[in-house]
Amino acid sequence: MFRIAKPFYFRTISSLHCGSGNDLGMVDLPIQREKHTSFPKVESSSLKGAIREAFENKLEQQKVEFLEIISKNDSSKIGFENINDKKRLKLSFDYSIQLLFGYDEDNLDELIKKEFEEDSEFSGALAFSDARILFFPVRSAKGIFAWITCPYVLNRYVEDLKLCYKDFRLNIPSVDIGQCITYANNKISINNTSVVLEEYRFNEQQNLNIDPILSKFREMNELKERVVVLNDDDFRDFVNQFTEIITRTKIDNLTGTVAQGALFNEEYLPPETIMYFLVFSTPIFQKEEKKKGIFNQNGKKEEELVMEFFVKNLPEVMQLGGNATIGKGIIKINEINQNNDKGGK
Amino acid sequence: MSDSLVPKETLEKINRNQVSNFALKFHKFARFDGDKFLFFKTDKGKIIFNDVENFNFPSINFNNLCKEISEAAKKLFPTINYVKKLIIDWRLTLGLGSESVYETSINLHPVYGFPYIPGQSIKGVVRSWVILEYFNKDEEKAYQSETFCHLFGCPKESILNKEYQGALVFFDAYPIETPKLKVDVMNPHYQPYYSDKTNTKPPADYYNPNPIFFVTVENTSFQFIIGIKETENNLGKIDNIQGHYFDLGKKFLLEALTQKGVGAKTAVGYGYFK
């Protein structure tokens, strides 16, 4: 059973395509969506895969951060004692990745494979939730764009965060269709009475206060200037009809024109989308104490060490979803910090 | 003004000229001029209206946006990345044929609404340039080059016998300063001749010219970025050029942008950088 849960969020820097395969609709390659709400999501398996890859990249770039104790020869517990320091650190890090994310022998060092020879069937000590939508960017007639959200999304966010912070509580106001609530002194209001998103006008009330939510985000000040709480139905319409659709073509090299049959549509979450997810940790799933590597220490709980290791090594920027080679899916990840009450950058 | 076809209650609050997001202004608050949508109109050489030029993209900090992308690229590829600022040699037009209420369109950022060059356009042009220049236009021949396959990716029917993802990563190119928009015109004189499938109409001078306006970007610098993982930056060879994948990619990127051009109408001088 999971012992620790920690919330994280990401903001997309470039468009993000976490695909759900082919579709017969208008869009050939749609994004993943929740079945019951039709809101965009990122499947936990996509997220876990991308994060694992980011950890493995860290290893390649030799920019790994260890827990404090690694220097005290504790890695010798897992049989790498006759190897020089640099290689041993690498091995130990890679070994830890297996413990945290599960065993994957592709491109794995022989020495690590040997450690798992007898038993490579074990579960990773980390678990991930789906990434859920929190703020979705929509073009605004004033102030370039707004971050829309809705009471359902906010309430769900509060419920989800209770898994991490028991005393997290907030009353979310309700909003009628065609109405919206914003902060005072925002960037998107027209005469302090309305907000125009795409071609639609919403009557505005500037009495929003969701500080307990926003203060945990680095972008707190920007969020306050752009957040718009819409009715659930209005929100649903925007996240369904105003995602980014890119038409991809291929140019025939011989004729220089668009190649026959090579035209398709792809759906993307636009840049500036903000989603959140939870990460859970458990004690290491290994029978023998010595197989637990750096996570076997006196005094500290394994699940705490697992989470500490994860947070320390989680890259600030990573790539998620499809079409990496054309610069898509670049995201900035951060912890949703309970104590970050000052916010700001 | 009631010539934008957006809901009435919206127009009570804002008109076209007050819209700060250019994509929204251009595509949604489009001017409906009697029988069709127009962003530019002239009468006997006099400009009646021009809804495109002089738009100054208020409250967008291009410098910061470019910095955000280049810093993200540097974090993804800390050891090997290349950030290059290039200025349009003459004019650039991109996404001319995309769906639009006008006869022509332009590629605009989905959120900020300024013209930009998406990664796929850049990768496509560079890849196409390499095939054109070093493989004699023959894609099949390119797939027989290991270096080409590793650089740009390949299908199963290639020398590697396996599907590969390319090693080079091309990022979206944003303008580093307020883009200068310019209305341009193409003016086909013999349209009935071009569109005649029966081959009976001659290209004669008695047809009326048919001016079609389109939006271009001129005199604007863009930020191009490529990156590659250190572990994938092997030595390769294309034609007689030897080098690490990254150096080859850099060379091809510059060649393609300066000699092949990106976007539409490159055959008549659009889309070249210097």
Side-chain angles (χ1 to χ4, degrees), chain A residues 11 57 60-61 139 141 143-144 193-194 198-199 201 246 250 253 271-272 324-328 330 332, chain B residues 9-10 12-13 20-21 23 28 68 76 78 110-112 120 123 128 139 166 169-172 229 231:
Chain A
R11 184 164 72 90
N57 285 344
E60 283 173 12
Q61 294 162 4
R139 297 185 293 197
I144 310 296
T193 58
S194 34
E198 294 286 336
E199 65 267 47
R201 170 183 145 191
I246 296 182
K250 182 180 161 89
N253 286 301
E272 303 289 6
T325 67
I326 51 175
K328 306 301 179 203
I330 302 168
K332 257 189 177 170
Chain B
E9 63 263 33
T10 302
E12 281 167 14
K13 289 290 169 186
S20 68
N21 186 312
K28 290 285 175 72
E68 178 149 59
L76 281 174
V111 176
Y112 312 120
Q120 63 268 30
K123 179 174 178 179
S128 170
E139 194 169 1
V169 174
F170 296 82
F171 292 80
D172 295 339
K229 276 190 207 166
T231 45

Side-chain angles (χ1 to χ4, degrees), chain A residues 11 13-15 53 57 60-61 63 137-145 190-191 193-194 196-201 203 226 242 244 246-248 250-251 253-254 268 270-272 316-319 324-328 330 332 345, chain B residues 6-7 9-10 12-14 18-21 23-24 27-29 58-60 65 68-69 71-72 75-78 109-112 116 118-120 123 127-128 131-132 137 139 143 165-172 174 229 231:
Chain A
R11 184 164 72 90
I13 304 294
S14 63
S15 307
E53 198 194 327
N57 285 344
E60 283 173 12
Q61 294 162 4
K63 286 203 157 182
V138 176
R139 297 185 293 197
S140 165
K142 194 151 174 247
I144 310 296
F145 77 94
I190 299 166
N191 304 329
T193 58
S194 34
V196 171
L197 303 174
E198 294 286 336
E199 65 267 47
Y200 304 107
R201 170 183 145 191
N203 295 324
R226 296 185 190 279
F242 294 93
E244 185 187 358
I246 296 182
T247 305
R248 297 279 301 274
K250 182 180 161 89
I251 304 293
N253 286 301
L254 287 172
Y268 285 83
E272 303 289 6
E316 201 185 326
V317 176
M318 55 175 264
Q319 197 277 332
T325 67
I326 51 175
K328 306 301 179 203
I330 302 168
K332 257 189 177 170
K345 266 189 179 172
Chain B
V6 298
E9 63 263 33
T10 302
E12 281 167 14
K13 289 290 169 186
I14 195 160
Q18 296 167 317
V19 176
S20 68
N21 186 312
L24 211 52
H27 287 305
K28 290 285 175 72
F29 288 76
S59 73
I60 292 185
L65 287 173
E68 178 149 59
I69 294 201
E71 273 170 11
K75 281 193 175 125
L76 281 174
F77 303 102
H109 191 281
V111 176
Y112 312 120
Y116 81 117
Q120 63 268 30
K123 179 174 178 179
R127 184 178 175 281
S128 170
I131 295 175
L132 185 79
K137 285 191 185 175
E139 194 169 1
Y143 285 143
Q165 173 175 284
L168 281 177
V169 174
F170 296 82
F171 292 80
D172 295 339
Y174 283 7
K229 276 190 207 166
T231 45

Side-chain angles (χ1 to χ4, degrees), chain A residues 209-226:
Chain A
N209 185 348
I210 46 170
D211 280 3
I213 292 181
L214 299 189
S215 62
K216 294 178 173 52
F217 288 80
R218 269 199 187 184
E219 292 88 349
M220 177 180 82
N221 295 330
E222 295 161 65
L223 279 164
K224 279 189 175 177
E225 288 169 340
R226 296 185 190 279

